[in-house]
Amino acid sequence: MSSKGFVGLGVMGSAMAGHIFNKYSDLIVYNRTMDKANSWVQVNGGQAVSNAAEVGELCEQVFLCVGNDEDVKEVVSGEEGVLQSMKKGGVIVDHTTISADTSKELSELCSAKEIGFIDAPVSGGQAGAESGQLTVMAGGEEKYFDMVKETIACYSKFIKLMGPSGSGQLTKMVNQICIAGLIQSLAEGINFSEEVGLNTNEVIEVISKGAAQSWQMENRWETMLEDHYDHGFAVDHMRKDLELVIKEANKKGINVDLTKIVNSYYKDIQGIGGNRWDTSSLLKRLKEL
Ligand code: NAP
């Protein structure tokens, strides 16, 4: 019996699953579109099964990275979900970015069956997943976290348990709040520089040595200036994440004014067909709308 399984072989999951397979030389995989799972097995090895319940039956640890709340519910507690068959003492690790409420709800369902549930959203994007350098922010019970952290380590550079169930998702929300405003600032800065006739390459050369420096500036200014938005994290994903932030903030009466504004800008970008452009396309919005 193989003890590890992975559900969701998309941009992130296929790379993460690859790291697990490389370390443990075995993995059970499942993806909604079966062709993806079959191709993954052809390239990497392991075994593809035809639903999440089969993964639960065969594995003591199941990792997932699917799309949104509904996908995670289907995979964990759906009619053909992992909980239909997983044995007592097993652990489910969810790397999808979803709401803290859904994480808590699923954690309670798992707990009733003496199964662990760790919410473990990631930061670092496709490049981080491929190089095994993700940052993982987790929520859940320490005893279950300890059982899976070694496996998570094979695709991560930093992993931290932030608190009880949902804490990983809340931490990811902070991450997205911090990123959203920053990208808009960078877009406005570059746009301003161009409009007033400065040499933007030289502007960035200077200001990146000072207090304005950021990861976004370092990694995205050049491609933004070249109008290239085909790498990194997609606008559709960002909108999902910012909606999660706004819902959580509204529920608790927290001010996230800037996040709400940037969320509306990403909505504009979806309106001009930029659903799959990366998040730095806020500059394109300034230029085209
Ligand atoms: P993606 O490429 O769309 O992959 C999602 C995968 O999950 C797809 O292969 C999809 O299958 C599969 N799936 C969805 N529902 C399923 C179900 N019910 N049963 C089985 N498989 C199912 O998305 P991604 O970019 O990897 O992102 C995944 C999650 O990570 C998202 O929550 C995203 O916000 C988060 N994230 C992404 C990045 C990034 O840079 N991409 C960075 C940090 C966090 P199909 O082939 O049938 O669609």
Side-chain angles (χ1 to χ4, degrees):
M1 185 176 102
S2 170
S3 62
K4 297 183 204 309
F6 206 104
V7 179
L9 300 168
V11 169
M12 301 295 283
S14 56
M16 293 153 93
H19 289 291
I20 301 180
F21 185 84
N22 288 343
K23 179 161 181 192
Y24 296 96
S25 308
D26 203 7
L27 193 66
I28 304 291
V29 295
Y30 167 64
N31 191 77
R32 181 174 54 196
T33 304
M34 276 306 294
D35 282 356
K36 263 193 204 171
N38 293 331
S39 310
W40 191 93
V41 166
Q42 268 173 11
V43 173
N44 298 277
Q47 182 193 343
V49 293
S50 53
N51 61 55
E54 282 185 57
V55 184
E57 195 179 335
L58 293 165
C59 303
E60 288 143 16
Q61 296 181 3
V62 176
F63 299 80
L64 46 132
C65 191
V66 290
N68 54 35
D69 283 51
E70 293 316 306
D71 296 333
V72 177
K73 283 185 191 173
E74 192 181 326
V75 169
V76 175
S77 58
E79 277 176 19
E80 293 184 323
V82 176
L83 280 185
Q84 296 291 343
S85 53
M86 191 176 223
K87 292 171 194 67
K88 234 194 246 184
V91 189
I92 298 170
V93 178
D94 177 28
H95 288 304
T96 320
T97 305
I98 60 168
S99 67
D101 285 349
T102 296
S103 292
K104 282 186 239 169
E105 194 185 297
L106 293 175
S107 171
E108 279 165 24
L109 286 178
C110 288
S111 182
K113 296 192 169 211
E114 292 180 51
I115 287 168
F117 183 90
I118 302 291
D119 52 292
V122 303
S123 174
Q126 182 175 0
E130 285 170 357
S131 61
Q133 296 289 301
L134 291 170
T135 297
V136 182
M137 39 213 107
E141 279 186 59
E142 195 161 3
K143 70 171 179 183
Y144 290 120
F145 177 73
D146 287 344
M147 287 163 69
V148 293
K149 66 182 180 195
E150 200 181 307
T151 309
I152 298 174
C154 67
Y155 43 80
S156 318
K157 65 174 179 196
F158 191 76
I159 317 163
K160 191 169 171 66
L161 183 64
M162 305 303 297
S165 179
S167 306
Q169 296 297 349
L170 292 173
T171 306
K172 174 77 183 182
M173 290 180 201
V174 177
N175 188 71
Q176 301 306 69
I177 291 168
C178 294
I179 287 176
L182 214 140
I183 305 174
Q184 175 62 16
S185 301
L186 180 59
E188 285 183 18
I190 292 173
N191 191 49
F192 183 93
S193 168
E194 294 281 287
E195 291 290 329
V196 297
L198 286 167
N199 178 327
T200 303
N201 292 32
E202 289 178 5
V203 171
I204 297 289
E205 187 190 356
V206 173
I207 68 170
S208 65
K209 307 279 186 301
Q213 194 275 339
S214 68
W215 186 97
Q216 297 293 340
M217 182 178 287
E218 188 87 13
N219 292 280
R220 293 285 180 265
W221 77 269
E222 207 162 5
T223 45
M224 286 167 82
L225 207 53
E226 289 165 354
D227 204 31
H228 285 166
Y229 302 111
D230 56 355
H231 54 271
F233 188 61
V235 166
D236 276 353
H237 281 314
M238 190 57 153
R239 281 232 53 218
K240 162 182 71 75
D241 293 1
L242 297 183
E243 289 290 335
L244 292 173
V245 168
I246 292 164
K247 204 168 162 196
E248 186 72 33
N250 286 345
K251 201 171 70 184
K252 298 194 172 136
I254 305 167
N255 185 326
V256 286
D257 282 349
L258 181 60
T259 305
K260 287 179 183 169
I261 293 170
V262 179
N263 184 44
S264 75
Y265 295 165
Y266 281 124
K267 193 174 177 186
D268 293 342
I269 294 174
Q270 288 175 317
I272 53 170
N275 303 60
R276 298 302 298 178
W277 297 347
D278 74 66
T279 46
S280 66
S281 54
L282 285 169
L283 178 62
K284 198 169 179 72
R285 173 187 167 277
L286 289 177
K287 287 187 167 164
E288 293 194 4
L289 292 177

